[in-house]
Amino acid sequence: MCCCLMAVTALAQSRVDTRTHIFDNNVHSLKVCLASNMYIPPVLMMNGDDHLVVNFDYIDYDVHYLRYSVTHCNADWQPSQLVESEYVSGFNYADIDDYAHSEATYVHYYNYQFVLPNADMEFLVSGNYLLSVYEQDNPEDILFQTRFSVCEGKVGVYPKVTSRTDVEYNNRFQQLSFDVRFKPGQIKDPYSELTCVVNQNSREDNAVTVVRPLMVGVDHVTYDHNQDLIFPAGNEFRRFETVAAHTINMGVKSIRYYNPMYHATLMVDEPRNEVQYLYDKTQFGRFTIRNAEAYGENALEADYMITHFTLNTDGKLNGGNVWLYGEFLNGYPASQAIMKYDANSGCYTADLLLKQGAYNYMYLWVPDGSSVGQTGKIEGDHYETVNEYTVKVYDRPMGERYDHFVGYGVAYSGK
């Protein structure tokens, strides 16, 4: 889940805030993905051939000279006890040299991109990493921070999803179970060493941490019949495209130019909580930058548009807030994600500056005093929904000073 949704939760003063966060309002379209496949969880394998791609825009007429560094974290995303020389080779900073100015766009920006690992920075250990980007001459002023992980792949993780849960059968929920398989003797004490983290559609707000397996064998452990691994099934993501400024796009009512930029008004959305389930193939909340009318690179020729969202609820919903959720909101402050209620129309609205492309999104209901978004109130919960579940397994052998990220698995419900 985007960090803005988690902003309603107060963190203990002793904890470091490592949530993905964009601190500079000029940073947009942040995306962290694998070079080989941008539609799967961005987990980098140690000593593999793949790379992690970090891409973002800085909206300005002038170029900014930027630099990045990383911090090693444990399974709970708190900094580990390792010093920099123990988790990265060379110096723990590098300049971003790959950047270019936008071309033929009303909104002027510089697009930045770099890959990890690279000649300047290689990872020596597995685990979670917090990436920070800042001006070269001002390292204390962080523009944004984001998360990624490096996996050893030493254990096999085999998750399964079923709608026949421990609380009901083929209705509103989906339940996850999984096996972790390893060489005999590789994991000395699974009960005390292993920590497993489960995410549904990359959301962070409803992530689950499991530390006690149901069964332990010589070469495997089983996590099953765990109430914490029962998730509301939700609904398929909604979609819209702004890939062309001069033609009708999916989910878009109109695109018009009002000086100084384009405005894209989306079709009015209706709640789906009482509507029959309808399958739609989506990217589980992710977005893709694209300008179908570009002559060269999409990253440089895609323009920015004020994108207008409207959810018709026929009146104000009391006791909480309506939030937009999607990868495109990852790291933005709460003011971007919370929908505003318009008493005149009886609708919730949001106006966001988004780059041309194809987007997945949904509406979450967040009750007052909670930090966990609910799908049932607006989108509905249907057991048939195809969700992406990611299981990450961390190992902390006795005497070690950090959590080894030893394996992960991905499962899709309904498949």
Side-chain angles (χ1 to χ4, degrees):
M1 183 62 184
C2 59
C3 82
C4 54
L5 182 53
M6 297 181 66
V8 296
T9 303
L11 298 178
Q13 290 185 356
S14 60
R15 291 179 62 84
V16 178
D17 189 353
T18 64
R19 296 168 297 177
T20 296
H21 195 93
I22 294 174
F23 301 102
D24 190 308
N25 292 332
N26 292 314
V27 174
H28 287 267
S29 305
L30 171 62
K31 191 171 184 69
V32 180
C33 63
L34 292 178
S36 62
N37 190 340
M38 65 189 302
Y39 297 115
I40 62 175
V43 175
L44 189 64
M45 301 301 295
M46 287 195 69
N47 304 316
D49 296 329
D50 212 346
H51 289 81
L52 198 75
V53 180
V54 180
N55 192 293
F56 63 95
D57 294 334
Y58 195 95
I59 296 180
D60 201 349
Y61 285 91
D62 300 321
V63 64
H64 291 250
Y65 300 103
L66 306 180
R67 181 173 290 172
Y68 61 89
S69 60
V70 297
T71 301
H72 186 265
C73 298
N74 288 315
D76 61 355
W77 286 102
Q78 289 301 287
S80 69
Q81 298 179 25
L82 300 182
V83 297
E84 293 179 348
S85 60
E86 292 180 290
Y87 59 82
V88 291
S89 62
F91 296 102
N92 185 16
Y93 64 85
D95 296 337
I96 305 177
D97 298 322
D98 185 359
Y99 55 85
H101 193 270
S102 58
E103 300 176 3
T105 59
Y106 287 106
V107 176
H108 295 265
Y109 60 87
Y110 275 86
N111 177 257
Y112 294 80
Q113 179 171 292
F114 60 97
V115 300
L116 294 169
N118 53 49
D120 297 315
M121 183 175 294
E122 294 188 0
F123 306 109
L124 303 179
V125 300
S126 67
N128 294 329
Y129 284 84
L130 180 69
L131 171 74
S132 299
V133 173
Y134 47 88
E135 301 270 4
Q136 291 181 10
D137 57 355
N138 191 7
E140 301 302 320
D141 187 12
I142 306 298
L143 301 184
F144 69 86
Q145 63 185 29
T146 188
R147 295 171 168 183
F148 68 92
S149 301
V150 179
C151 181
E152 296 176 13
K154 289 185 176 181
V155 305
V157 183
Y158 304 95
K160 296 181 294 184
V161 189
T162 181
S163 57
R164 303 173 182 180
T165 74
D166 290 346
V167 296
E168 63 180 25
Y169 183 92
N170 287 354
N171 193 0
R172 298 172 298 151
F173 296 98
Q174 296 171 348
Q175 185 162 358
L176 190 74
S177 62
F178 58 95
D179 289 339
V180 180
R181 297 192 173 273
F182 44 83
K183 295 178 181 179
Q186 182 179 352
I187 308 295
K188 304 297 183 183
D189 184 3
Y191 287 107
S192 64
E193 290 185 30
L194 296 182
T195 299
C196 305
V197 179
V198 179
N199 295 94
Q200 181 193 51
N201 299 323
S202 300
R203 286 174 57 181
E204 295 290 344
D205 63 309
N206 65 347
V208 172
T209 299
V210 182
V211 295
R212 298 287 293 182
L214 176 67
M215 295 182 293
V216 174
V218 175
D219 61 354
H220 72 281
V221 294
T222 298
Y223 298 81
D224 199 359
H225 296 291
N226 188 321
Q227 294 280 327
D228 293 336
L229 296 179
I230 300 176
F231 293 82
N235 208 334
E236 306 295 344
F237 279 86
R238 302 172 190 256
R239 295 190 293 159
F240 74 89
E241 295 184 356
T242 51
V243 297
H246 304 98
T247 58
I248 297 298
N249 299 264
M250 175 190 299
V252 178
K253 181 179 180 180
S254 66
I255 295 179
R256 293 187 174 90
Y257 178 79
Y258 300 102
N259 191 32
M261 65 183 66
Y262 285 111
H263 286 247
T265 301
L266 305 186
M267 302 294 290
V268 175
D269 287 321
E270 302 287 342
R272 299 185 291 176
N273 56 320
E274 297 182 0
V275 178
Q276 185 176 358
Y277 170 80
L278 180 64
Y279 171 74
D280 185 21
K281 185 176 181 180
T282 70
Q283 287 72 50
F284 309 104
R286 300 182 175 97
F287 73 93
T288 306
I289 297 302
R290 180 169 175 255
N291 178 4
E293 301 165 322
Y295 292 98
E297 294 186 47
N298 283 294
L300 300 179
E301 296 184 42
D303 213 334
Y304 276 86
M305 301 180 177
I306 297 292
T307 306
H308 304 276
F309 295 80
T310 303
L311 174 66
N312 178 25
T313 54
D314 288 326
K316 185 175 177 59
L317 304 178
N318 297 316
N321 289 293
V322 178
W323 293 68
L324 264 175
Y325 171 68
E327 182 192 35
F328 65 95
L329 280 166
N330 195 18
Y332 285 102
S335 59
Q336 298 264 16
I338 298 180
M339 305 283 288
K340 297 179 177 61
Y341 179 67
D342 179 18
N344 293 327
S345 64
C347 298
Y348 284 84
T349 65
D351 305 319
L352 303 177
L353 182 63
L354 299 178
K355 199 173 183 180
Q356 284 182 272
Y359 290 82
N360 281 192
Y361 70 104
M362 68 168 54
Y363 298 102
L364 297 177
W365 172 254
V366 183
D368 292 337
S370 174
S371 61
V372 179
Q374 301 176 0
T375 47
K377 191 176 184 70
I378 299 174
E379 301 292 4
D381 290 313
H382 303 276
Y383 75 90
E384 305 99 327
T385 302
V386 181
N387 290 305
E388 178 186 83
Y389 292 90
T390 305
V391 180
K392 295 181 178 180
V393 178
Y394 301 86
D395 180 29
R396 173 76 77 97
M398 182 177 296
E400 283 286 355
R401 295 162 46 235
Y402 72 97
D403 294 335
H404 298 247
F405 181 17
V406 292
Y408 82 103
V410 180
Y412 297 89
S413 57
K415 292 188 177 181

